[in-house]
C-alpha cells in the first residue's frame, strides 16, 4: 500500500483506466507473436532479445518480420538470435525514441528538425509505429506511477528497472491526457496516410506534431 492506495497493478480497473490498459495489453501480447514469427523463419528468440527487438523496431509486424527474414540469412546456419545480431543486422531506432521525448517536451521547432532528419533515412510508417510503441509504454507508466519500477519493467518487457525510472522522470510533470492526445494524433496520422487521405506525409506529420 502507498498513501492508502495499492501499489500493485490491479486486475480489474474502473472505466477511466480502460484505455491505458488496452494500450498496455496490446503491447504485452507482442512478444509471443514475434517469437512465433521468428519460429516460422527458423529462428529462436529469448524473451530478452524479443523485448529488445520491440524496443528497437516498435510494433509494426510487417517491419519486424522483414527484419527477421534478414536475420535468418545473416546468421545462417545458426538459429539462435542474440542481441548483438539485432544490433549488427537490423534497423535501430534510437533517434525515433529521442523524437518521442521531444514530442513530450513540446519543443515544436526541435520536433520538426528531428522528424525531417529521420525521414531522410526512415519510412513515415516506421517512425509512426515506433512512436506508438513508446507512447503505449509512457501511457501505461503514467497510469501506474506508484507501482514499483521492477513490476512495470516486468509487465512491459523492459530490460531494466533503471529504464523505467528514467521514463518516469521524463513524464512526471506531463499529464495522462496529454500523452493520450499525442497517441490519438499519431493514430489519426497513420490512418490518414494508410487510407490515402494524406498525399503529403511530411505536411501531415507537421500538422500532427504542431497541434
Amino acid at each position: 500500500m502507498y498513501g492508502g492506495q495499492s501499489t500493485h497493478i490491479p486486475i480489474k480497473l474502473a472505466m477511466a483506466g480502460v484505455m491505458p490498459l488496452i494500450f498496455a495489453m496490446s503491447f504485452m501480447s507482442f512478444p509471443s507473436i514475434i517469437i512465433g514469427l521468428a519460429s516460422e523463419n527458423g529462428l529462436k528468440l529469448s524473451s530478452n532479445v524479443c523485448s529488445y527487438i520491440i524496443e528497437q523496431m516498435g510494433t509494426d509486424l510487417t517491419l519486424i518480420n522483414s527484419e527477421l527474414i534478414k536475420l535468418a540469412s545473416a546468421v545462417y546456419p545458426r538459429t539462435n538470435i542474440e542481441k548483438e545480431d539485432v544490433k549488427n543486422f537490423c534497423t535501430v531506432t534510437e533517434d525515433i525514441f529521442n523524437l518521442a521525448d521531444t514530442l513530450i517536451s513540446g519543443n515544436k521547432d526541435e520536433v520538426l528538425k528531428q522528424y525531417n532528419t529521420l525521414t531522410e533515412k526512415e519510412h513515415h510508417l516506421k517512425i509512426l509505429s515506433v512512436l506508438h510503441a513508446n507512447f503505449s509504454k509512457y501511457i501505461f507508466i503514467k497510469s501506474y506511477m506508484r507501482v514499483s519500477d521492477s513490476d512495470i519493467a516486468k509487465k512491459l518487457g523492459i530490460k531494466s528497472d533503471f529504464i523505467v525510472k528514467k521514463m518516469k522522470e521524463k513524464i512526471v510533470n506531463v499529464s495522462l491526457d496529454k500523452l493520450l492526445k499525442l497517441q490519438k494524433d499519431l493514430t489519426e496520422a497513420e490512418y490518414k496516410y494508410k487510407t490515402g487521405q494524406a498525399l503529403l506525409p511530411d505536411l501531415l506529420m507537421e500538422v500532427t506534431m504542431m497541434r
Side-chain angles (χ1 to χ4, degrees):
M1 303 287 288
Y2 185 98
Q5 295 182 340
S6 173
T7 57
H8 296 290
I9 296 172
I11 295 176
K12 294 183 179 180
L13 289 175
M15 287 304 294
V18 168
M19 186 173 291
L21 182 61
I22 290 172
F23 284 132
M25 288 177 66
S26 175
F27 183 81
M28 287 187 287
S29 70
F30 266 84
S32 60
I33 297 173
I34 293 170
I35 289 173
L37 288 174
S39 179
E40 291 176 6
N41 286 289
L43 300 174
K44 297 177 182 177
L45 299 179
S46 69
S47 58
N48 286 338
V49 172
C50 187
S51 296
Y52 182 71
I53 287 174
I54 296 173
E55 289 175 12
Q56 294 300 309
M57 302 180 203
T59 56
D60 184 336
L61 290 176
T62 301
L63 169 67
I64 291 173
N65 191 53
S66 68
E67 294 297 316
L68 289 172
I69 293 171
K70 185 193 302 182
L71 277 172
S73 298
V75 304
Y76 182 83
R78 281 195 296 116
T79 58
N80 288 319
I81 298 300
E82 304 294 338
K83 185 176 176 179
E84 287 302 314
D85 296 323
V86 179
K87 286 183 178 179
N88 292 333
F89 301 113
C90 295
T91 307
V92 295
T93 53
E94 183 177 353
D95 290 342
I96 304 179
F97 293 157
N98 292 336
L99 175 59
D101 294 340
T102 307
L103 269 169
I104 290 172
S105 74
N107 186 336
K108 296 178 179 179
D109 290 338
E110 187 62 25
V111 165
L112 293 180
K113 178 181 177 182
Q114 290 181 14
Y115 179 74
N116 288 331
T117 299
L118 276 168
T119 54
E120 293 175 2
K121 55 184 179 180
E122 304 287 3
H123 192 275
H124 303 281
L125 288 180
K126 179 188 175 181
I127 296 171
L128 283 169
S129 175
V130 177
L131 286 174
H132 271 297
N134 244 32
F135 276 104
S136 292
K137 291 180 184 178
Y138 277 128
I139 288 167
F140 185 90
I141 292 171
K142 187 65 180 182
S143 300
Y144 300 108
M145 290 290 279
R146 291 183 175 179
V147 174
S148 70
D149 296 348
S150 60
D151 281 349
I152 291 177
K154 289 176 184 176
K155 288 291 183 181
L156 295 183
I158 295 176
K159 59 188 176 182
S160 77
D161 301 355
F162 178 75
I163 293 176
V164 174
K165 178 182 177 182
K166 299 305 291 184
M167 292 179 77
K168 281 184 174 180
E169 290 174 356
K170 291 176 182 177
I171 60 174
V172 67
N173 295 318
V174 180
S175 71
L176 178 59
D177 285 344
K178 179 176 180 178
L179 293 174
L180 289 169
K181 182 181 182 302
L182 285 168
Q183 181 83 306
K184 178 176 177 289
D185 289 346
L186 291 169
T187 300
E188 290 178 357
E190 183 173 10
Y191 175 77
K192 289 179 180 179
Y193 181 59
K194 286 182 174 179
T195 56
Q197 297 179 44
L199 299 179
L200 297 173
D202 293 321
L203 178 60
L204 171 63
M205 288 304 297
E206 288 189 17
V207 171
T208 299
M209 294 180 177
M210 293 296 282
R211 287 182 183 180

